[in-house]
Amino acid sequence: MTVDPLVRDCPQFHRVGCDAASRARPHRAMMPHPWRPFVAAVILILPVEVAHGQAPDARVAALAERAGIELADYYYRTSDLESAAIAYELFQQNHPRSAYAMRARQRQIFSNLGQFKGPRYDSTKLLDSKALIDRFQNDYPAQAELLGLDATLLSRIDESNAEQMLETANWYIRREELESARLVLNRLVRKYPQTGAGQRALAQLQERNWLV
C-alpha cells in the first residue's frame, strides 16, 4: 500500500489491512493531489488509533478535523450532494465540538434537500432534513432564522411529503390496488391535514366514501 509521506511519517501511523486500503483508494483517485494527505489521514490514521483505544495527539486530531471538513466542502462545492451529506454527517460524529460543527449541520441539511427530485421519487431525504432542521433550530435559533431554516421551510417540506404520498396513492389507484390507495390517502389526511395535497386527498376520500 502506498501512503502519502505526510501520513506515513506521523508517529501514530499503523499499517492497516486491505479493507482500509480499498476504502482509501476511491477517494485518492477522485481528489486533487493536495488533498490526498488529508483524506488518507481521515481514513487511515484516526480510525486505527480509536480502534486500538488510543487518543490521537493534537497534530493528528487537527489534521483529521481539517481533512473531514475540507472533504465534505469539496463534495458540496462540486454538487456531489449525496457524498456531501454523508461526509458532513461523519464529520459531526467524529468532531462534535468542532468550530465547524454548525456549518457541517447546515450543509448536511441543504445537501439532503438538494437530493429530493420531486413527488414521484423517494422522500426519505425530506424526512431526514426535517429532523435535522428541528435540531438545528433548537441549538442555533438565531442562525436558523437567518439561514431560512424556519417554520416556512418546514411547511414546504410537509407539502412535498404530502405530494409524494398523494402521488403514491394515485399510483395505486391506476393499478387498481384500491385498498392500498385508501390506506395511503387516510394516512396522508391524518399526517398532513393542512397541506394542499392533504385537502385534495380528503376530497378523494369523501368522493369514494373511503374516509375512516
Side-chain angles (χ1 to χ4, degrees), residues 1 16-25:
M1 178 177 64
V16 295
C18 295
D19 180 59
S22 64
R23 284 187 287 121
R25 266 189 220 110

Side-chain angles (χ1 to χ4, degrees), residues 23-95:
R23 284 187 287 121
R25 266 189 220 110
H27 296 284
R28 291 171 57 85
M30 289 188 295
M31 299 296 289
H33 177 73
W35 294 101
R36 291 179 180 175
F38 295 109
V39 176
V42 169
I43 296 175
L44 299 178
I45 297 177
L46 200 59
V48 171
E49 293 193 344
V50 171
H52 289 168
Q54 303 173 21
D57 68 15
R59 180 187 176 209
V60 174
L63 182 66
E65 181 180 357
R66 172 76 187 281
I69 196 64
E70 294 289 2
L71 178 61
D73 285 347
Y74 171 83
Y75 289 134
Y76 191 81
R77 288 194 306 271
T78 57
S79 300
D80 184 352
L81 298 181
E82 182 178 6
S83 297
I86 294 170
Y88 284 124
E89 181 178 7
L90 290 174
F91 179 83
Q92 294 167 64
Q93 293 174 3
N94 292 330
H95 310 285

Side-chain angles (χ1 to χ4, degrees), residues 138-186:
N138 289 334
D139 294 341
Y140 309 104
Q143 291 87 344
E145 190 70 25
L146 288 172
L147 293 167
L149 301 175
D150 53 15
T152 300
L153 179 57
L154 290 173
S155 294
R156 288 166 54 196
I157 290 174
D158 282 347
E159 187 67 57
S160 294
N161 280 321
E163 289 285 353
Q164 195 270 341
M165 292 182 71
L166 183 59
E167 179 66 29
T168 299
N170 288 331
W171 181 81
Y172 281 128
I173 290 173
R174 291 193 297 272
R175 291 173 57 89
E176 298 185 355
E177 298 181 25
L178 300 185
E179 181 59 23
S180 294
R182 184 182 68 82
L183 290 172
V184 172
L185 288 171
N186 275 283

